[in-house]
Amino acid sequence: MLTVLALASVVLLGIVPDPSQAIVIYTGWERHALLGSDVRLSCSFFSWRWTSDDVTFSWTYRPDGSKDSISIFHYTGGMAYVDNKGPFRDRLEFVGNPGRRDGSILLKNLDFSDNGTFTCDAKNPPDIVGRPQSSPLRRVPIQAGVITGAIIGVVLGLLVLIVVIYYLMRFLVARRVFSLSVSKHGKKKKEGSQQRQGPAPPADPSKVKAAASEKKKQESRKDKK
Amino acid sequence: MLLILLGVLLLHLIILILLIVSTAASAWSVGEGRNTDLWYSCLTSKDGYHCKPAIDEDWIQAVQALMILSVLFCFFSLIAFLFQLFKLVKGGRFFFTAIFQVFASVFVMCAAIIYTVMSPDDSAHTQFGYAYVLAWVAFPLTLISGLIYIILRKKD
């Protein structure tokens, strides 16, 4: 018993993670944004060590279809340095909270050419081994609220259509336009079909079966109402 | 029989109120000094209360549409219930009422699921607000109400 306990404790202690494991960076998923809107690019990390005062965040940008990336943001030593020469001049703002492991930036006034991938790299010395995470950004030309209106309109339209078709079918059936008949006309129809099938009995056994199943369906529909 | 009818009607009204509050209230995600709902994202800062329209992404518009549709369908089912109450034959079932109510529950479920999966992952917004909880509470209530309408038969 004691040996089992000792073995179990040794195994469990061995599973405790090593504090020098890599830093894990989290960024947002792929974002779609309208022209002229503000986009918040979020970046956060998980590290086994306490957040040090030398924590650094760097953002780089790689345009769609290009192979090289440029650095657009860097936070180090308690100071945030934003892009003042490149394509995001005067449009970036640091909105993160390094004390809470948040290195998010705000990209204001989205431009035509802002399609691309933003990559965040965070370092928490001495925990520096990690993989930068990317967060693609796509500019979307759809107007605000169009999708909402479209979904509501389509569903309500379908509803109205189904109700109209339902009442139309009932109306047409009552007018005896269709051969599907309900209530008292069903009996007359049965007699008529029997008379017709008198001279030619083995002609259409499948037709008789279909007519019978149709009548069964109608009766069950009547019961439901 | 009258008690059952009153109870069912009361449940229906409660569900409708829950859905309307959930759709309109500004508390789907809350953080410190900041709350977001389907329509606006508001921030309380030193110089007042600023609101800007919610993220114009496809999924938030889908959530908006589904919540509005669920409110509409719940309302339609209430109208259908009152209509069928007086017009239905003896022994008849509240078919349309049940169908609309079940659709409303499906729409609320879809809206809540989409919001859960795609909710804005700003680190300040760590909590889900009460309007989000109301949407999740409304879904099983609506489903149960729809099932009650399926089983309910008009006696007299």
PDB file of all heavy atoms in Angstrom, chain B residues 88-112:
ATOM      1  N   LEU B  88     -60.821  27.171 -33.070  1.00  0.00           N
ATOM      2  CA  LEU B  88     -60.507  25.767 -33.301  1.00  0.00           C
ATOM      3  C   LEU B  88     -61.698  24.886 -32.997  1.00  0.00           C
ATOM      4  O   LEU B  88     -62.497  25.178 -32.115  1.00  0.00           O
ATOM      5  CB  LEU B  88     -59.336  25.378 -32.394  1.00  0.00           C
ATOM      6  CG  LEU B  88     -58.398  24.298 -32.899  1.00  0.00           C
ATOM      7  CD1 LEU B  88     -57.865  24.669 -34.255  1.00  0.00           C
ATOM      8  CD2 LEU B  88     -57.255  24.121 -31.936  1.00  0.00           C
ATOM      9  N   VAL B  89     -61.824  23.752 -33.717  1.00  0.00           N
ATOM     10  CA  VAL B  89     -62.890  22.795 -33.440  1.00  0.00           C
ATOM     11  C   VAL B  89     -62.540  22.002 -32.191  1.00  0.00           C
ATOM     12  O   VAL B  89     -61.405  21.986 -31.749  1.00  0.00           O
ATOM     13  CB  VAL B  89     -63.076  21.818 -34.615  1.00  0.00           C
ATOM     14  CG1 VAL B  89     -63.538  22.562 -35.845  1.00  0.00           C
ATOM     15  CG2 VAL B  89     -61.782  21.100 -34.904  1.00  0.00           C
ATOM     16  N   LYS B  90     -63.527  21.317 -31.654  1.00  0.00           N
ATOM     17  CA  LYS B  90     -63.304  20.533 -30.432  1.00  0.00           C
ATOM     18  C   LYS B  90     -62.315  19.416 -30.714  1.00  0.00           C
ATOM     19  O   LYS B  90     -62.428  18.724 -31.718  1.00  0.00           O
ATOM     20  CB  LYS B  90     -64.620  19.916 -29.969  1.00  0.00           C
ATOM     21  CG  LYS B  90     -65.445  20.831 -29.123  1.00  0.00           C
ATOM     22  CD  LYS B  90     -66.588  20.061 -28.487  1.00  0.00           C
ATOM     23  CE  LYS B  90     -67.755  20.994 -28.266  1.00  0.00           C
ATOM     24  NZ  LYS B  90     -68.933  20.336 -27.715  1.00  0.00           N
ATOM     25  N   GLY B  91     -61.394  19.216 -29.775  1.00  0.00           N
ATOM     26  CA  GLY B  91     -60.430  18.145 -29.945  1.00  0.00           C
ATOM     27  C   GLY B  91     -59.295  18.507 -30.864  1.00  0.00           C
ATOM     28  O   GLY B  91     -58.451  17.670 -31.170  1.00  0.00           O
ATOM     29  N   GLY B  92     -59.268  19.747 -31.301  1.00  0.00           N
ATOM     30  CA  GLY B  92     -58.214  20.136 -32.224  1.00  0.00           C
ATOM     31  C   GLY B  92     -56.926  20.503 -31.498  1.00  0.00           C
ATOM     32  O   GLY B  92     -56.940  20.843 -30.319  1.00  0.00           O
ATOM     33  N   ARG B  93     -55.825  20.422 -32.226  1.00  0.00           N
ATOM     34  CA  ARG B  93     -54.542  20.762 -31.625  1.00  0.00           C
ATOM     35  C   ARG B  93     -54.115  22.164 -32.054  1.00  0.00           C
ATOM     36  O   ARG B  93     -54.478  22.628 -33.125  1.00  0.00           O
ATOM     37  CB  ARG B  93     -53.478  19.772 -32.082  1.00  0.00           C
ATOM     38  CG  ARG B  93     -53.641  18.405 -31.478  1.00  0.00           C
ATOM     39  CD  ARG B  93     -52.460  17.550 -31.898  1.00  0.00           C
ATOM     40  NE  ARG B  93     -52.674  16.151 -31.619  1.00  0.00           N
ATOM     41  CZ  ARG B  93     -52.303  15.563 -30.482  1.00  0.00           C
ATOM     42  NH1 ARG B  93     -51.726  16.260 -29.555  1.00  0.00           N
ATOM     43  NH2 ARG B  93     -52.517  14.289 -30.288  1.00  0.00           N
ATOM     44  N   PHE B  94     -53.303  22.782 -31.200  1.00  0.00           N
ATOM     45  CA  PHE B  94     -52.801  24.125 -31.503  1.00  0.00           C
ATOM     46  C   PHE B  94     -51.567  24.003 -32.379  1.00  0.00           C
ATOM     47  O   PHE B  94     -50.439  24.217 -31.951  1.00  0.00           O
ATOM     48  CB  PHE B  94     -52.464  24.872 -30.219  1.00  0.00           C
ATOM     49  CG  PHE B  94     -53.662  25.177 -29.381  1.00  0.00           C
ATOM     50  CD1 PHE B  94     -54.116  24.289 -28.434  1.00  0.00           C
ATOM     51  CD2 PHE B  94     -54.350  26.366 -29.563  1.00  0.00           C
ATOM     52  CE1 PHE B  94     -55.227  24.575 -27.669  1.00  0.00           C
ATOM     53  CE2 PHE B  94     -55.459  26.648 -28.799  1.00  0.00           C
ATOM     54  CZ  PHE B  94     -55.902  25.755 -27.846  1.00  0.00           C
ATOM     55  N   PHE B  95     -51.813  23.644 -33.639  1.00  0.00           N
ATOM     56  CA  PHE B  95     -50.725  23.277 -34.530  1.00  0.00           C
ATOM     57  C   PHE B  95     -49.822  24.466 -34.853  1.00  0.00           C
ATOM     58  O   PHE B  95     -48.614  24.423 -34.676  1.00  0.00           O
ATOM     59  CB  PHE B  95     -51.334  22.692 -35.802  1.00  0.00           C
ATOM     60  CG  PHE B  95     -50.319  22.139 -36.759  1.00  0.00           C
ATOM     61  CD1 PHE B  95     -49.435  21.155 -36.366  1.00  0.00           C
ATOM     62  CD2 PHE B  95     -50.252  22.617 -38.052  1.00  0.00           C
ATOM     63  CE1 PHE B  95     -48.504  20.653 -37.239  1.00  0.00           C
ATOM     64  CE2 PHE B  95     -49.328  22.112 -38.928  1.00  0.00           C
ATOM     65  CZ  PHE B  95     -48.446  21.133 -38.533  1.00  0.00           C
ATOM     66  N   PHE B  96     -50.455  25.565 -35.338  1.00  0.00           N
ATOM     67  CA  PHE B  96     -49.652  26.716 -35.758  1.00  0.00           C
ATOM     68  C   PHE B  96     -48.904  27.332 -34.591  1.00  0.00           C
ATOM     69  O   PHE B  96     -47.748  27.729 -34.720  1.00  0.00           O
ATOM     70  CB  PHE B  96     -50.549  27.787 -36.395  1.00  0.00           C
ATOM     71  CG  PHE B  96     -50.864  27.513 -37.819  1.00  0.00           C
ATOM     72  CD1 PHE B  96     -52.162  27.322 -38.231  1.00  0.00           C
ATOM     73  CD2 PHE B  96     -49.845  27.433 -38.753  1.00  0.00           C
ATOM     74  CE1 PHE B  96     -52.447  27.059 -39.554  1.00  0.00           C
ATOM     75  CE2 PHE B  96     -50.120  27.174 -40.075  1.00  0.00           C
ATOM     76  CZ  PHE B  96     -51.426  26.980 -40.475  1.00  0.00           C
ATOM     77  N   THR B  97     -49.593  27.422 -33.442  1.00  0.00           N
ATOM     78  CA  THR B  97     -48.945  27.976 -32.250  1.00  0.00           C
ATOM     79  C   THR B  97     -47.675  27.200 -31.927  1.00  0.00           C
ATOM     80  O   THR B  97     -46.613  27.778 -31.688  1.00  0.00           O
ATOM     81  CB  THR B  97     -49.912  27.895 -31.067  1.00  0.00           C
ATOM     82  OG1 THR B  97     -51.165  28.386 -31.482  1.00  0.00           O
ATOM     83  CG2 THR B  97     -49.392  28.680 -29.904  1.00  0.00           C
ATOM     84  N   ALA B  98     -47.801  25.866 -31.940  1.00  0.00           N
ATOM     85  CA  ALA B  98     -46.648  25.028 -31.589  1.00  0.00           C
ATOM     86  C   ALA B  98     -45.516  25.210 -32.580  1.00  0.00           C
ATOM     87  O   ALA B  98     -44.353  25.327 -32.192  1.00  0.00           O
ATOM     88  CB  ALA B  98     -47.075  23.567 -31.541  1.00  0.00           C
ATOM     89  N   ILE B  99     -45.856  25.260 -33.863  1.00  0.00           N
ATOM     90  CA  ILE B  99     -44.824  25.364 -34.893  1.00  0.00           C
ATOM     91  C   ILE B  99     -44.047  26.668 -34.730  1.00  0.00           C
ATOM     92  O   ILE B  99     -42.809  26.681 -34.729  1.00  0.00           O
ATOM     93  CB  ILE B  99     -45.465  25.302 -36.292  1.00  0.00           C
ATOM     94  CG1 ILE B  99     -45.790  23.877 -36.653  1.00  0.00           C
ATOM     95  CG2 ILE B  99     -44.538  25.866 -37.342  1.00  0.00           C
ATOM     96  CD1 ILE B  99     -44.587  23.057 -37.018  1.00  0.00           C
ATOM     97  N   PHE B 100     -44.788  27.779 -34.540  1.00  0.00           N
ATOM     98  CA  PHE B 100     -44.104  29.061 -34.401  1.00  0.00           C
ATOM     99  C   PHE B 100     -43.253  29.100 -33.142  1.00  0.00           C
ATOM    100  O   PHE B 100     -42.146  29.640 -33.136  1.00  0.00           O
ATOM    101  CB  PHE B 100     -45.119  30.211 -34.368  1.00  0.00           C
ATOM    102  CG  PHE B 100     -45.666  30.556 -35.715  1.00  0.00           C
ATOM    103  CD1 PHE B 100     -47.006  30.877 -35.884  1.00  0.00           C
ATOM    104  CD2 PHE B 100     -44.840  30.562 -36.827  1.00  0.00           C
ATOM    105  CE1 PHE B 100     -47.501  31.187 -37.128  1.00  0.00           C
ATOM    106  CE2 PHE B 100     -45.333  30.882 -38.072  1.00  0.00           C
ATOM    107  CZ  PHE B 100     -46.667  31.187 -38.225  1.00  0.00           C
ATOM    108  N   GLN B 101     -43.763  28.532 -32.067  1.00  0.00           N
ATOM    109  CA  GLN B 101     -43.011  28.548 -30.816  1.00  0.00           C
ATOM    110  C   GLN B 101     -41.737  27.726 -30.945  1.00  0.00           C
ATOM    111  O   GLN B 101     -40.671  28.113 -30.464  1.00  0.00           O
ATOM    112  CB  GLN B 101     -43.916  27.996 -29.706  1.00  0.00           C
ATOM    113  CG  GLN B 101     -43.415  28.256 -28.323  1.00  0.00           C
ATOM    114  CD  GLN B 101     -43.614  29.684 -27.899  1.00  0.00           C
ATOM    115  OE1 GLN B 101     -43.427  30.612 -28.673  1.00  0.00           O
ATOM    116  NE2 GLN B 101     -43.966  29.873 -26.657  1.00  0.00           N
ATOM    117  N   VAL B 102     -41.821  26.575 -31.617  1.00  0.00           N
ATOM    118  CA  VAL B 102     -40.624  25.744 -31.786  1.00  0.00           C
ATOM    119  C   VAL B 102     -39.605  26.462 -32.665  1.00  0.00           C
ATOM    120  O   VAL B 102     -38.398  26.423 -32.396  1.00  0.00           O
ATOM    121  CB  VAL B 102     -41.006  24.370 -32.375  1.00  0.00           C
ATOM    122  CG1 VAL B 102     -39.778  23.619 -32.829  1.00  0.00           C
ATOM    123  CG2 VAL B 102     -41.732  23.550 -31.341  1.00  0.00           C
ATOM    124  N   PHE B 103     -40.090  27.140 -33.708  1.00  0.00           N
ATOM    125  CA  PHE B 103     -39.170  27.914 -34.536  1.00  0.00           C
ATOM    126  C   PHE B 103     -38.487  28.996 -33.722  1.00  0.00           C
ATOM    127  O   PHE B 103     -37.285  29.235 -33.851  1.00  0.00           O
ATOM    128  CB  PHE B 103     -39.918  28.556 -35.713  1.00  0.00           C
ATOM    129  CG  PHE B 103     -39.986  27.670 -36.932  1.00  0.00           C
ATOM    130  CD1 PHE B 103     -41.152  27.561 -37.652  1.00  0.00           C
ATOM    131  CD2 PHE B 103     -38.880  26.968 -37.343  1.00  0.00           C
ATOM    132  CE1 PHE B 103     -41.210  26.747 -38.775  1.00  0.00           C
ATOM    133  CE2 PHE B 103     -38.922  26.153 -38.456  1.00  0.00           C
ATOM    134  CZ  PHE B 103     -40.099  26.042 -39.175  1.00  0.00           C
ATOM    135  N   ALA B 104     -39.276  29.677 -32.856  1.00  0.00           N
ATOM    136  CA  ALA B 104     -38.677  30.730 -32.020  1.00  0.00           C
ATOM    137  C   ALA B 104     -37.565  30.148 -31.154  1.00  0.00           C
ATOM    138  O   ALA B 104     -36.489  30.750 -31.006  1.00  0.00           O
ATOM    139  CB  ALA B 104     -39.755  31.376 -31.156  1.00  0.00           C
ATOM    140  N   SER B 105     -37.804  28.962 -30.591  1.00  0.00           N
ATOM    141  CA  SER B 105     -36.778  28.369 -29.722  1.00  0.00           C
ATOM    142  C   SER B 105     -35.533  27.999 -30.526  1.00  0.00           C
ATOM    143  O   SER B 105     -34.409  28.183 -30.065  1.00  0.00           O
ATOM    144  CB  SER B 105     -37.327  27.147 -29.002  1.00  0.00           C
ATOM    145  OG  SER B 105     -37.176  25.994 -29.772  1.00  0.00           O
ATOM    146  N   VAL B 106     -35.735  27.498 -31.747  1.00  0.00           N
ATOM    147  CA  VAL B 106     -34.583  27.142 -32.577  1.00  0.00           C
ATOM    148  C   VAL B 106     -33.770  28.379 -32.915  1.00  0.00           C
ATOM    149  O   VAL B 106     -32.537  28.366 -32.874  1.00  0.00           O
ATOM    150  CB  VAL B 106     -35.062  26.423 -33.856  1.00  0.00           C
ATOM    151  CG1 VAL B 106     -33.957  26.349 -34.881  1.00  0.00           C
ATOM    152  CG2 VAL B 106     -35.526  25.033 -33.525  1.00  0.00           C
ATOM    153  N   PHE B 107     -34.467  29.489 -33.222  1.00  0.00           N
ATOM    154  CA  PHE B 107     -33.736  30.710 -33.559  1.00  0.00           C
ATOM    155  C   PHE B 107     -32.958  31.241 -32.369  1.00  0.00           C
ATOM    156  O   PHE B 107     -31.817  31.685 -32.518  1.00  0.00           O
ATOM    157  CB  PHE B 107     -34.707  31.783 -34.070  1.00  0.00           C
ATOM    158  CG  PHE B 107     -35.248  31.497 -35.435  1.00  0.00           C
ATOM    159  CD1 PHE B 107     -36.528  31.897 -35.791  1.00  0.00           C
ATOM    160  CD2 PHE B 107     -34.486  30.834 -36.379  1.00  0.00           C
ATOM    161  CE1 PHE B 107     -37.027  31.632 -37.058  1.00  0.00           C
ATOM    162  CE2 PHE B 107     -34.972  30.569 -37.638  1.00  0.00           C
ATOM    163  CZ  PHE B 107     -36.252  30.965 -37.974  1.00  0.00           C
ATOM    164  N   VAL B 108     -33.559  31.206 -31.169  1.00  0.00           N
ATOM    165  CA  VAL B 108     -32.826  31.687 -29.992  1.00  0.00           C
ATOM    166  C   VAL B 108     -31.602  30.827 -29.757  1.00  0.00           C
ATOM    167  O   VAL B 108     -30.510  31.320 -29.443  1.00  0.00           O
ATOM    168  CB  VAL B 108     -33.731  31.671 -28.741  1.00  0.00           C
ATOM    169  CG1 VAL B 108     -32.910  31.823 -27.501  1.00  0.00           C
ATOM    170  CG2 VAL B 108     -34.720  32.776 -28.817  1.00  0.00           C
ATOM    171  N   MET B 109     -31.762  29.508 -29.938  1.00  0.00           N
ATOM    172  CA  MET B 109     -30.632  28.603 -29.728  1.00  0.00           C
ATOM    173  C   MET B 109     -29.505  28.935 -30.690  1.00  0.00           C
ATOM    174  O   MET B 109     -28.337  29.030 -30.296  1.00  0.00           O
ATOM    175  CB  MET B 109     -31.088  27.157 -29.920  1.00  0.00           C
ATOM    176  CG  MET B 109     -29.962  26.167 -29.697  1.00  0.00           C
ATOM    177  SD  MET B 109     -30.442  24.501 -30.092  1.00  0.00           S
ATOM    178  CE  MET B 109     -30.354  24.548 -31.858  1.00  0.00           C
ATOM    179  N   CYS B 110     -29.859  29.121 -31.974  1.00  0.00           N
ATOM    180  CA  CYS B 110     -28.823  29.429 -32.959  1.00  0.00           C
ATOM    181  C   CYS B 110     -28.133  30.750 -32.624  1.00  0.00           C
ATOM    182  O   CYS B 110     -26.903  30.849 -32.689  1.00  0.00           O
ATOM    183  CB  CYS B 110     -29.434  29.515 -34.359  1.00  0.00           C
ATOM    184  SG  CYS B 110     -29.976  27.950 -34.990  1.00  0.00           S
ATOM    185  N   ALA B 111     -28.917  31.752 -32.230  1.00  0.00           N
ATOM    186  CA  ALA B 111     -28.320  33.053 -31.913  1.00  0.00           C
ATOM    187  C   ALA B 111     -27.359  32.931 -30.742  1.00  0.00           C
ATOM    188  O   ALA B 111     -26.239  33.448 -30.787  1.00  0.00           O
ATOM    189  CB  ALA B 111     -29.422  34.065 -31.584  1.00  0.00           C
ATOM    190  N   ALA B 112     -27.791  32.223 -29.689  1.00  0.00           N
ATOM    191  CA  ALA B 112     -26.933  32.102 -28.512  1.00  0.00           C
ATOM    192  C   ALA B 112     -25.667  31.325 -28.837  1.00  0.00           C
ATOM    193  O   ALA B 112     -24.574  31.661 -28.378  1.00  0.00           O
ATOM    194  CB  ALA B 112     -27.705  31.425 -27.379  1.00  0.00           C
TER     195      ALA B 112
END
